[in-house]
C-alpha cells in the first residue's frame, strides 16, 4: 500500500493562489504516475492534472485549469505539488492526490488515493 497525505488547502479570495502538497510513504514514489482530482459535494470527481513517472514538467491539464495550475514533483522527497494561481470560485472542492502505474484522466487508472484537502475560493 502507498499512503498519500495532502496538505495546503485553505480559504482564499478569488484571484489568489495556493500550493497543494502530496507526500507519499513509498520511497520510490517517483516511479508512479500521479494525478490530481477534485470533487465538490454532490458532484462527480473531476480530473485536474497529471504527471508521468519521473517527470519534471510537461504535465497534463483539464481545460478548465490550463494556464492557471501547474503540477510538479520532487522525487527525492516523494512529493507531488499542485500550484494553483488565479483561483476562481468554481475551483472550490476537495482536492485529492492519486498514484498508479499509468497516467490518465479517469480515476480508475489510479490505485492509491489521499484523504483530500479542502480548497475554498470566495468571490
Amino acid at each position: 500500500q502507498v499512503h498519500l497525505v495532502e496538505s495546503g488547502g485553505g480559504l482564499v479570495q478569488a484571484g489568489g493562489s495556493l500550493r497543494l502538497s502530496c507526500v507519499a510513504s513509498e520511497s520510490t514514489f517517483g516511479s508512479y504516475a500521479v494525478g490530481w482530482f477534485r470533487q465538490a459535494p454532490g458532484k462527480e470527481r473531476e480530473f485536474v492534472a497529471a504527471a508521468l513517472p519521473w517527470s519534471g514538467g510537461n504535465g497534463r491539464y483539464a481545460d478548465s485549469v490550463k494556464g492557471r495550475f501547474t503540477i510538479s514533483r520532487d522525487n527525492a522527497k516523494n512529493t507531488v505539488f499542485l500550484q494553483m494561481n488565479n483561483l476562481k470560485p468554481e475551483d472550490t472542492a476537495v482536492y485529492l492526490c492519486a498514484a498508479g502505474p499509468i497516467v490518465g484522466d479517469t480515476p480508475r487508472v489510479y490505485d492509491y488515493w489521499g484523504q483530500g484537502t479542502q480548497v475554498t475560493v470566495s468571490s
Side-chain angles (χ1 to χ4, degrees):
Q1 291 280 132
V2 177
H3 291 93
L4 306 173
V5 179
E6 301 99 330
S7 63
L11 174 64
V12 298
Q13 294 182 352
S17 298
L18 286 172
R19 188 171 82 153
L20 307 183
S21 299
C22 174
V23 180
S25 62
E26 170 61 53
S27 62
T28 59
F29 184 55
S31 67
Y32 289 83
V34 295
W36 285 97
F37 292 77
R38 64 188 183 187
Q39 188 167 20
K43 297 185 178 180
E44 295 181 355
R45 189 164 294 181
E46 177 188 16
F47 170 76
V48 176
L52 291 164
W54 304 113
S55 64
N58 298 315
R60 318 288 182 85
Y61 302 94
D63 288 342
S64 60
V65 306
K66 192 173 298 182
R68 299 188 297 121
F69 291 11
T70 303
I71 188 170
S72 62
R73 313 182 68 151
D74 186 338
N75 296 319
K77 297 181 178 179
N78 303 317
T79 303
V80 60
F81 303 98
L82 184 69
Q83 178 68 46
M84 305 185 294
N85 297 326
N86 192 24
L87 284 161
K88 303 175 180 180
E90 53 263 43
D91 296 318
T92 295
V94 173
Y95 283 70
L96 303 103
C97 177
I102 59 172
V103 70
D105 62 1
T106 182
R108 67 180 302 170
V109 307
Y110 298 99
D111 298 318
Y112 307 104
W113 294 82
Q115 85 289 346
T117 185
Q118 177 71 45
V119 172
T120 302
V121 185
S122 62
S123 60

